[in-house]
Amino acid sequence: MKFLTTNFVKCAVKSCSASQDSFPLKYSECQLAKEESEYNPDFVCHMLERLDWDAIVKVAADLGNTSIPPQKPEGLDPIMEDDQAILRDLHSLLVETVILEGKMTCSSCGHIYHIKNSIPNFLLPPHLV
Amino acid sequence: MLPTPDVKDVDYDLVYEPSEDTFLLLDTLEDEQKYIREKFAGKVPLAVEVGVGTGIVSTFMQKHILPSSILVGIDVNPNACATMIRTMQQNMNAGDEDAGISDTVQMSLLSGFRDKCVDLLVFNPPYVPAESVPDLPVSVSDSSWLEVALDGGEDGMAVTWELLHNLDDILSPASGVAYILFCARNKPDQIASTMRQKGWKVNTVGHRKAGWEVLSILRFTK
Ligand SMILES: C[S@@+](CC[C@H](N)C(=O)[O-])C[C@H]1O[C@@H](n2cnc3c(N)ncnc32)[C@H](O)[C@@H]1O
Protein backbone atom coordinates (compact mmCIF):
# COMPACT_ATOMS: atom_id res chain seq x y z
CA MET A 1 0.00 0.00 0.00
CA LYS A 2 1.43 3.31 -1.06
CA PHE A 3 1.39 6.21 1.35
CA LEU A 4 -0.65 8.17 -1.19
CA THR A 5 -3.48 5.65 -1.00
CA THR A 6 -4.01 6.46 2.68
CA ASN A 7 -5.42 9.76 1.45
CA PHE A 8 -8.35 8.03 -0.28
CA VAL A 9 -9.46 5.25 2.05
CA LYS A 10 -11.64 5.35 5.12
CA CYS A 11 -13.51 2.95 7.39
CA ALA A 12 -15.82 0.65 5.39
CA VAL A 13 -18.40 0.27 8.16
CA LYS A 14 -21.69 1.85 6.97
CA SER A 15 -22.51 3.59 10.23
CA CYS A 16 -19.12 5.35 10.12
CA SER A 17 -19.69 6.93 6.74
CA ALA A 18 -21.04 10.17 8.21
CA SER A 19 -18.36 10.38 10.90
CA GLN A 20 -15.42 12.76 10.54
CA ASP A 21 -13.35 10.26 12.51
CA SER A 22 -13.51 7.51 9.91
CA PHE A 23 -10.83 9.31 7.85
CA PRO A 24 -7.92 9.10 7.91
CA LEU A 25 -7.48 5.73 9.55
CA LYS A 26 -4.89 5.43 12.27
CA TYR A 27 -1.81 3.51 11.15
CA SER A 28 0.16 1.40 13.62
CA GLU A 29 2.72 -1.41 13.77
CA CYS A 30 3.66 -0.59 10.20
CA GLN A 31 6.59 -2.03 8.37
CA LEU A 32 7.70 0.39 5.67
CA ALA A 33 9.79 0.09 2.56
CA LYS A 34 10.97 2.38 -0.19
CA GLU A 35 10.03 1.57 -3.78
CA GLU A 36 11.98 3.73 -6.21
CA SER A 37 9.96 5.37 -8.93
CA GLU A 38 10.47 8.00 -11.60
CA TYR A 39 10.35 11.54 -10.17
CA ASN A 40 8.08 13.84 -12.12
CA PRO A 41 7.86 17.30 -10.48
CA ASP A 42 4.83 18.45 -12.49
CA PHE A 43 2.94 15.35 -11.51
CA VAL A 44 3.72 15.86 -7.82
CA CYS A 45 2.61 19.51 -8.08
CA HIS A 46 -0.74 18.66 -9.64
CA MET A 47 -1.22 15.74 -7.32
CA LEU A 48 -0.88 18.05 -4.32
CA GLU A 49 -3.91 20.03 -5.45
CA ARG A 50 -6.20 17.10 -4.80
CA LEU A 51 -4.80 15.88 -1.49
CA ASP A 52 -6.24 16.29 1.98
CA TRP A 53 -3.23 17.79 3.69
CA ASP A 54 -4.36 17.32 7.30
CA ALA A 55 -4.66 13.60 6.61
CA ILE A 56 -1.16 13.51 5.11
CA VAL A 57 0.24 15.16 8.24
CA LYS A 58 -1.61 12.75 10.55
CA VAL A 59 -0.66 9.58 8.72
CA ALA A 60 2.97 10.71 8.39
CA ALA A 61 3.03 11.23 12.16
CA ASP A 62 1.54 7.73 12.67
CA LEU A 63 4.45 6.42 10.64
CA GLY A 64 7.01 8.39 12.63
CA ASN A 65 7.54 11.33 10.31
CA THR A 66 6.82 14.62 12.06
CA SER A 67 8.71 16.88 9.68
CA ILE A 68 5.76 17.52 7.36
CA PRO A 69 4.78 21.21 7.18
CA PRO A 70 1.40 21.70 8.91
CA GLN A 71 0.05 23.71 5.96
CA LYS A 72 -0.14 22.45 2.40
CA PRO A 73 2.72 24.03 0.42
CA GLU A 74 1.05 26.29 -2.13
CA GLY A 75 2.24 27.62 -5.44
CA LEU A 76 5.24 25.35 -5.75
CA ASP A 77 7.21 25.87 -8.92
CA PRO A 78 9.18 22.91 -10.25
CA ILE A 79 11.76 25.32 -11.67
CA MET A 80 12.71 26.88 -8.32
CA GLU A 81 15.46 25.09 -6.49
CA ASP A 82 13.92 25.39 -3.02
CA ASP A 83 10.63 24.07 -4.33
CA GLN A 84 12.44 21.21 -6.04
CA ALA A 85 13.66 20.01 -2.68
CA ILE A 86 10.14 20.04 -1.24
CA LEU A 87 8.71 18.27 -4.28
CA ARG A 88 11.37 15.59 -4.10
CA ASP A 89 10.62 15.00 -0.44
CA LEU A 90 6.93 14.74 -1.21
CA HIS A 91 7.61 12.31 -4.04
CA SER A 92 9.66 10.19 -1.71
CA LEU A 93 7.00 10.25 1.00
CA LEU A 94 3.80 9.93 -1.02
CA VAL A 95 4.83 7.86 -3.99
CA GLU A 96 7.84 5.82 -2.90
CA THR A 97 6.89 4.96 0.65
CA VAL A 98 4.98 1.70 0.87
CA ILE A 99 3.44 0.01 3.87
CA LEU A 100 4.22 -3.70 3.66
CA GLU A 101 2.51 -4.83 6.85
CA GLY A 102 0.49 -2.97 9.44
CA LYS A 103 -2.79 -2.10 11.05
CA MET A 104 -5.34 0.57 10.26
CA THR A 105 -7.79 1.51 12.99
CA CYS A 106 -10.97 3.53 12.60
CA SER A 107 -11.06 6.31 15.18
CA SER A 108 -14.86 6.28 15.07
CA CYS A 109 -15.77 2.60 15.63
CA GLY A 110 -12.40 1.11 16.53
CA HIS A 111 -12.49 -1.54 13.81
CA ILE A 112 -9.02 -2.77 12.87
CA TYR A 113 -8.06 -3.46 9.25
CA HIS A 114 -4.86 -5.25 8.25
CA ILE A 115 -2.24 -4.64 5.60
CA LYS A 116 -0.50 -7.84 4.51
CA ASN A 117 2.00 -8.30 1.71
CA SER A 118 1.42 -4.65 0.91
CA ILE A 119 -2.32 -5.16 0.29
CA PRO A 120 -4.76 -3.47 2.67
CA ASN A 121 -7.88 -5.49 3.36
CA PHE A 122 -11.15 -3.58 3.79
CA LEU A 123 -13.50 -6.55 3.71
CA LEU A 124 -15.73 -6.64 6.77
CA PRO A 125 -16.86 -9.62 8.80
CA PRO A 126 -20.52 -10.48 8.01
CA HIS A 127 -21.91 -8.87 11.18
CA LEU A 128 -20.55 -5.46 10.12
CA VAL A 129 -21.73 -5.51 6.50
CA MET B 1 -4.86 -0.24 -32.31
CA LEU B 2 -3.19 0.20 -28.96
CA PRO B 3 -1.28 -2.87 -27.83
CA THR B 4 -2.98 -5.17 -25.33
CA PRO B 5 -0.96 -5.57 -22.12
CA ASP B 6 0.82 -8.87 -21.56
CA VAL B 7 -0.69 -11.01 -18.87
CA LYS B 8 1.58 -13.81 -17.71
CA ASP B 9 1.77 -16.58 -15.14
CA VAL B 10 -1.75 -16.23 -13.80
CA ASP B 11 -3.63 -19.07 -12.14
CA TYR B 12 -6.96 -18.92 -13.98
CA ASP B 13 -8.55 -21.16 -11.39
CA LEU B 14 -8.31 -18.22 -9.00
CA VAL B 15 -8.47 -15.09 -11.15
CA TYR B 16 -10.88 -14.20 -13.98
CA GLU B 17 -9.26 -14.80 -17.34
CA PRO B 18 -9.51 -11.89 -19.80
CA SER B 19 -12.44 -12.66 -22.09
CA GLU B 20 -14.73 -11.04 -24.67
CA ASP B 21 -16.08 -8.63 -22.06
CA THR B 22 -12.56 -7.59 -21.09
CA PHE B 23 -11.62 -6.94 -24.70
CA LEU B 24 -14.77 -4.93 -25.40
CA LEU B 25 -13.85 -2.77 -22.42
CA LEU B 26 -10.31 -2.24 -23.76
CA ASP B 27 -11.59 -1.35 -27.25
CA THR B 28 -14.19 1.01 -25.84
CA LEU B 29 -11.66 2.80 -23.66
CA GLU B 30 -9.48 3.18 -26.74
CA ASP B 31 -12.41 4.80 -28.60
CA GLU B 32 -12.97 7.05 -25.59
CA GLN B 33 -9.32 8.03 -25.20
CA LYS B 34 -9.71 11.52 -26.64
CA TYR B 35 -12.83 12.29 -24.61
CA ILE B 36 -11.17 11.07 -21.41
CA ARG B 37 -7.92 12.92 -21.98
CA GLU B 38 -9.65 16.18 -22.78
CA LYS B 39 -11.82 15.89 -19.72
CA PHE B 40 -8.84 15.58 -17.39
CA ALA B 41 -6.25 17.69 -19.19
CA GLY B 42 -3.87 19.50 -16.84
CA LYS B 43 -4.99 17.54 -13.78
CA VAL B 44 -3.94 14.46 -11.91
CA PRO B 45 -7.20 12.50 -11.98
CA LEU B 46 -8.06 9.65 -9.65
CA ALA B 47 -9.03 6.59 -11.69
CA VAL B 48 -10.54 3.54 -10.02
CA GLU B 49 -11.15 0.15 -11.54
CA VAL B 50 -13.54 -2.00 -9.55
CA GLY B 51 -13.06 -5.74 -10.02
CA VAL B 52 -9.56 -5.69 -11.52
CA GLY B 53 -9.16 -9.44 -12.11
CA THR B 54 -5.77 -9.78 -13.83
CA GLY B 55 -5.35 -6.00 -13.92
CA ILE B 56 -5.25 -5.96 -17.71
CA VAL B 57 -7.77 -3.10 -17.93
CA SER B 58 -6.08 -1.01 -15.24
CA THR B 59 -2.73 -1.50 -16.92
CA PHE B 60 -4.17 -0.51 -20.29
CA MET B 61 -5.68 2.62 -18.76
CA GLN B 62 -2.50 3.69 -17.03
CA LYS B 63 -0.30 2.95 -20.01
CA HIS B 64 -2.44 4.22 -22.87
CA ILE B 65 -5.58 6.05 -21.86
CA LEU B 66 -4.77 8.28 -18.91
CA PRO B 67 -1.08 7.96 -18.05
CA SER B 68 -0.55 10.77 -15.54
CA SER B 69 -3.17 9.56 -13.13
CA ILE B 70 -3.48 7.98 -9.75
CA LEU B 71 -5.03 4.59 -10.35
CA VAL B 72 -6.44 2.39 -7.61
CA GLY B 73 -7.53 -1.14 -8.46
CA ILE B 74 -10.16 -2.73 -6.24
CA ASP B 75 -11.16 -6.36 -5.93
CA VAL B 76 -12.67 -8.59 -3.26
CA ASN B 77 -10.38 -11.37 -4.47
CA PRO B 78 -6.89 -11.09 -2.95
CA ASN B 79 -5.47 -13.13 -5.83
CA ALA B 80 -6.74 -10.48 -8.22
CA CYS B 81 -5.19 -7.65 -6.19
CA ALA B 82 -1.80 -9.37 -6.23
CA THR B 83 -2.10 -10.21 -9.93
CA MET B 84 -2.98 -6.64 -10.82
CA ILE B 85 0.22 -5.36 -9.23
CA ARG B 86 2.22 -7.95 -11.12
CA THR B 87 0.58 -7.21 -14.47
CA MET B 88 1.18 -3.52 -13.94
CA GLN B 89 4.87 -4.09 -13.17
CA GLN B 90 5.36 -6.42 -16.12
CA ASN B 91 4.00 -3.86 -18.56
CA MET B 92 5.32 -0.55 -17.29
CA ASN B 93 8.83 0.37 -18.30
CA ALA B 94 11.21 2.03 -15.92
CA GLY B 95 11.58 5.61 -17.02
CA ASP B 96 8.11 5.81 -18.60
CA GLU B 97 8.00 9.57 -18.69
CA ASP B 98 4.44 10.28 -17.66
CA ALA B 99 3.91 7.12 -15.67
CA GLY B 100 1.36 7.74 -12.97
CA ILE B 101 0.91 5.90 -9.74
CA SER B 102 -0.99 2.71 -9.19
CA ASP B 103 -2.00 0.75 -6.14
CA THR B 104 -4.49 -1.88 -5.09
CA VAL B 105 -6.87 -2.44 -2.21
CA GLN B 106 -8.93 -5.48 -1.28
CA MET B 107 -12.41 -4.07 -0.84
CA SER B 108 -16.02 -4.61 -1.83
CA LEU B 109 -17.02 -1.96 -4.37
CA LEU B 110 -16.01 1.43 -2.96
CA SER B 111 -17.14 0.72 0.58
CA GLY B 112 -13.88 1.99 2.09
CA PHE B 113 -13.35 4.87 -0.30
CA ARG B 114 -13.82 8.53 0.53
CA ASP B 115 -16.92 10.07 -1.00
CA LYS B 116 -17.03 12.04 -4.22
CA CYS B 117 -13.39 11.78 -5.17
CA VAL B 118 -13.29 9.34 -8.11
CA ASP B 119 -12.83 11.02 -11.48
CA LEU B 120 -12.83 7.98 -13.74
CA LEU B 121 -14.54 4.74 -12.72
CA VAL B 122 -14.37 1.51 -14.71
CA PHE B 123 -16.28 -1.66 -13.80
CA ASN B 124 -16.62 -4.99 -15.56
CA PRO B 125 -18.86 -6.52 -12.91
CA PRO B 126 -20.05 -10.02 -12.13
CA TYR B 127 -23.00 -9.72 -14.53
CA VAL B 128 -24.28 -13.27 -15.06
CA PRO B 129 -27.83 -13.79 -13.76
CA ALA B 130 -27.69 -16.23 -10.87
CA GLU B 131 -29.77 -17.36 -7.94
CA SER B 132 -27.71 -15.23 -5.59
CA VAL B 133 -24.45 -13.36 -5.19
CA PRO B 134 -22.01 -15.94 -3.78
CA ASP B 135 -20.54 -15.54 -0.31
CA LEU B 136 -16.85 -14.72 -0.40
CA PRO B 137 -14.62 -17.77 0.04
CA VAL B 138 -12.71 -17.90 3.30
CA SER B 139 -9.59 -19.37 1.78
CA VAL B 140 -7.38 -17.52 -0.69
CA SER B 141 -6.95 -20.63 -2.84
CA ASP B 142 -10.59 -21.52 -3.33
CA SER B 143 -11.77 -21.94 -6.91
CA SER B 144 -15.14 -20.40 -6.05
CA TRP B 145 -13.45 -17.00 -6.50
CA LEU B 146 -14.41 -17.52 -10.14
CA GLU B 147 -18.09 -17.66 -9.19
CA VAL B 148 -17.60 -14.36 -7.40
CA ALA B 149 -16.22 -12.99 -10.68
CA LEU B 150 -19.26 -14.12 -12.66
CA ASP B 151 -22.44 -14.43 -10.61
CA GLY B 152 -24.40 -11.22 -10.28
CA GLY B 153 -27.59 -12.41 -8.54
CA GLU B 154 -30.99 -11.27 -9.82
CA ASP B 155 -30.81 -10.20 -13.50
CA GLY B 156 -27.05 -10.30 -12.97
CA MET B 157 -27.48 -6.83 -11.50
CA ALA B 158 -27.31 -7.23 -7.72
CA VAL B 159 -23.69 -6.10 -7.41
CA THR B 160 -23.86 -3.46 -10.14
CA TRP B 161 -27.00 -1.86 -8.69
CA GLU B 162 -25.29 -1.52 -5.35
CA LEU B 163 -22.69 0.60 -7.08
CA LEU B 164 -25.12 2.50 -9.32
CA HIS B 165 -27.29 3.46 -6.36
CA ASN B 166 -24.25 5.10 -4.77
CA LEU B 167 -22.81 6.65 -7.91
CA ASP B 168 -23.64 10.15 -6.68
CA ASP B 169 -21.47 9.62 -3.61
CA ILE B 170 -18.67 7.94 -5.54
CA LEU B 171 -17.92 10.23 -8.48
CA SER B 172 -16.42 13.66 -8.14
CA PRO B 173 -19.25 16.10 -8.83
CA ALA B 174 -17.17 18.30 -11.11
CA SER B 175 -15.85 15.78 -13.61
CA GLY B 176 -16.76 12.22 -12.68
CA VAL B 177 -17.40 9.65 -15.38
CA ALA B 178 -18.13 5.93 -15.08
CA TYR B 179 -17.84 3.15 -17.68
CA ILE B 180 -19.75 0.00 -16.80
CA LEU B 181 -20.22 -3.19 -18.78
CA PHE B 182 -23.57 -4.99 -19.14
CA CYS B 183 -24.90 -8.03 -20.92
CA ALA B 184 -28.33 -8.05 -22.59
CA ARG B 185 -29.87 -10.04 -19.74
CA ASN B 186 -29.03 -7.15 -17.39
CA LYS B 187 -31.56 -5.08 -19.43
CA PRO B 188 -29.22 -2.16 -20.02
CA ASP B 189 -31.97 -0.06 -21.67
CA GLN B 190 -34.04 -0.17 -18.52
CA ILE B 191 -31.00 0.63 -16.42
CA ALA B 192 -30.18 3.60 -18.63
CA SER B 193 -33.68 5.02 -18.33
CA THR B 194 -33.79 4.53 -14.56
CA MET B 195 -30.46 6.34 -14.24
CA ARG B 196 -31.60 9.13 -16.59
CA GLN B 197 -34.59 9.70 -14.34
CA LYS B 198 -32.11 10.21 -11.51
CA GLY B 199 -30.38 12.93 -13.49
CA TRP B 200 -27.56 11.00 -15.14
CA LYS B 201 -26.51 11.32 -18.75
CA VAL B 202 -26.16 7.80 -20.12
CA ASN B 203 -24.50 6.94 -23.43
CA THR B 204 -23.94 3.55 -25.01
CA VAL B 205 -20.28 3.74 -25.97
CA GLY B 206 -19.56 0.07 -26.68
CA HIS B 207 -21.63 -2.75 -28.12
CA ARG B 208 -20.70 -6.21 -29.34
CA LYS B 209 -22.08 -9.65 -29.99
CA ALA B 210 -19.81 -12.17 -28.32
CA GLY B 211 -20.91 -15.73 -28.96
CA TRP B 212 -24.43 -15.97 -27.57
CA GLU B 213 -23.95 -12.93 -25.37
CA VAL B 214 -24.62 -9.35 -26.34
CA LEU B 215 -22.43 -6.99 -24.37
CA SER B 216 -22.61 -3.24 -24.06
CA ILE B 217 -20.82 -0.50 -22.19
CA LEU B 218 -22.64 2.48 -20.79
CA ARG B 219 -21.03 5.76 -19.89
CA PHE B 220 -22.51 7.69 -16.98
CA THR B 221 -21.91 11.38 -16.40
CA LYS B 222 -23.80 14.19 -14.70
C1 LIG C 1 -16.01 -10.17 -14.80
S1 LIG C 1 -14.57 -10.06 -13.73
C2 LIG C 1 -13.66 -8.74 -14.54
C3 LIG C 1 -12.15 -8.82 -14.35
C4 LIG C 1 -11.32 -7.85 -15.18
N1 LIG C 1 -11.64 -6.47 -14.89
C5 LIG C 1 -11.52 -8.12 -16.65
O1 LIG C 1 -12.21 -7.30 -17.29
O2 LIG C 1 -10.98 -9.10 -17.16
C6 LIG C 1 -15.29 -9.33 -12.27
C7 LIG C 1 -14.31 -9.02 -11.14
O3 LIG C 1 -15.01 -8.32 -10.10
C8 LIG C 1 -14.61 -8.83 -8.84
N2 LIG C 1 -15.71 -8.55 -7.89
C9 LIG C 1 -16.87 -9.25 -7.72
N3 LIG C 1 -17.64 -8.66 -6.78
C10 LIG C 1 -16.96 -7.57 -6.34
C11 LIG C 1 -17.22 -6.55 -5.37
N4 LIG C 1 -18.34 -6.54 -4.66
N5 LIG C 1 -16.28 -5.60 -5.16
C12 LIG C 1 -15.13 -5.59 -5.88
N6 LIG C 1 -14.84 -6.51 -6.82
C13 LIG C 1 -15.73 -7.49 -7.05
C14 LIG C 1 -14.32 -10.28 -9.08
O4 LIG C 1 -13.47 -10.83 -8.10
C15 LIG C 1 -13.69 -10.24 -10.47
O5 LIG C 1 -12.29 -10.07 -10.40
Side-chain angles (χ1 to χ4, degrees):
Chain A
M1 180 187 204
K2 302 219 159 102
F3 187 110
L4 181 66
T5 306
T6 68
N7 214 253
F8 301 118
V9 292
K10 62 170 179 61
C11 181
V13 176
K14 262 239 167 69
S15 54
C16 283
S17 63
S19 164
Q20 297 277 336
D21 295 331
S22 65
F23 171 80
L25 297 166
K26 185 144 189 61
Y27 293 74
S28 61
E29 297 171 38
C30 288
Q31 190 188 325
L32 305 180
K34 184 131 274 184
E35 235 174 51
E36 300 246 334
S37 87
E38 201 74 13
Y39 166 60
N40 177 340
D42 285 324
F43 183 81
V44 181
C45 261
H46 283 303
M47 183 172 79
L48 272 187
E49 291 164 12
R50 65 168 314 132
L51 297 182
D52 182 312
W53 193 256
D54 290 344
I56 299 278
V57 175
K58 274 192 197 157
V59 176
D62 287 351
L63 301 178
N65 181 342
T66 49
S67 64
I68 308 292
Q71 304 294 329
K72 190 192 279 200
E74 303 279 354
L76 292 178
D77 186 342
I79 299 171
M80 307 293 286
E81 226 165 86
D82 289 354
D83 290 359
Q84 278 274 353
I86 301 176
L87 287 169
R88 266 198 184 279
D89 282 352
L90 288 173
H91 171 76
S92 154
L93 175 73
L94 299 171
V95 183
E96 297 191 316
T97 306
V98 295
I99 308 174
L100 300 174
E101 308 280 327
K103 287 184 181 171
M104 308 174 279
T105 308
C106 172
S107 306
S108 165
C109 71
H111 187 71
I112 299 176
Y113 301 87
H114 294 269
I115 306 165
K116 284 192 188 131
N117 295 319
S118 204
I119 299 174
N121 181 351
F122 289 90
L123 297 183
L124 296 169
H127 70 277
L128 286 177
V129 177
Chain B
M1 270 274 284
L2 298 171
T4 306
D6 285 332
V7 178
K8 284 190 289 218
D9 311 325
V10 181
D11 184 348
Y12 290 124
D13 289 330
L14 298 174
V15 177
Y16 186 79
E17 181 167 5
S19 310
E20 291 287 350
D21 48 0
T22 316
F23 297 118
L24 175 61
L25 194 49
L26 296 186
D27 293 344
T28 303
L29 288 169
E30 179 164 351
D31 294 341
E32 290 284 292
Q33 184 193 49
K34 188 160 169 276
Y35 170 88
I36 293 173
R37 288 200 176 176
E38 277 171 8
K39 205 171 175 77
F40 301 115
K43 291 202 196 119
V44 171
L46 175 64
V48 171
E49 187 192 1
V50 182
V52 286
T54 56
I56 185 174
V57 179
S58 284
T59 303
F60 187 81
M61 284 163 56
Q62 187 107 10
K63 214 171 153 69
H64 301 301
I65 305 300
L66 201 54
S68 289
S69 60
I70 302 166
L71 184 143
V72 180
I74 295 176
D75 210 296
V76 286
N77 178 353
N79 302 292
C81 294
T83 307
M84 174 218 164
I85 295 293
R86 229 170 347 104
T87 303
M88 199 60 97
Q89 283 166 351
Q90 282 163 353
N91 285 277
M92 295 310 224
N93 308 317
D96 270 352
E97 181 110 330
D98 48 5
I101 302 174
S102 61
D103 205 0
T104 187
V105 299
Q106 187 184 359
M107 188 185 283
S108 180
L109 301 177
L110 288 99
S111 52
F113 236 79
R114 278 173 59 206
D115 281 354
K116 300 187 197 293
C117 65
V118 178
D119 294 305
L120 173 64
L121 181 82
V122 174
F123 191 22
N124 176 7
Y127 57 78
V128 178
E131 203 135 289
S132 61
V133 175
D135 288 336
L136 296 183
V138 182
S139 150
V140 177
S141 52
D142 185 321
S143 58
S144 53
W145 283 113
L146 289 188
E147 285 157 35
V148 174
L150 291 170
D151 292 357
E154 193 184 345
D155 286 341
M157 278 301 295
V159 179
T160 311
W161 266 127
E162 203 180 321
L163 183 134
L164 286 175
H165 283 316
N166 287 322
L167 205 52
D168 258 322
D169 286 333
I170 293 170
L171 293 184
S172 82
S175 54
V177 52
Y179 292 91
I180 303 178
L181 184 137
F182 300 88
C183 74
R185 289 177 293 164
N186 298 153
K187 307 183 187 131
D189 294 342
Q190 284 180 24
I191 293 158
S193 69
T194 308
M195 291 300 281
R196 284 190 189 110
Q197 277 163 22
K198 294 210 234 171
W200 292 91
K201 288 195 201 101
V202 187
N203 299 79
T204 304
V205 288
H207 189 78
R208 183 175 294 169
K209 242 182 134 149
W212 51 274
E213 262 182 329
V214 180
L215 303 173
S216 51
I217 294 180
L218 302 188
R219 182 182 76 195
F220 299 85
T221 50
K222 262 285 150 90

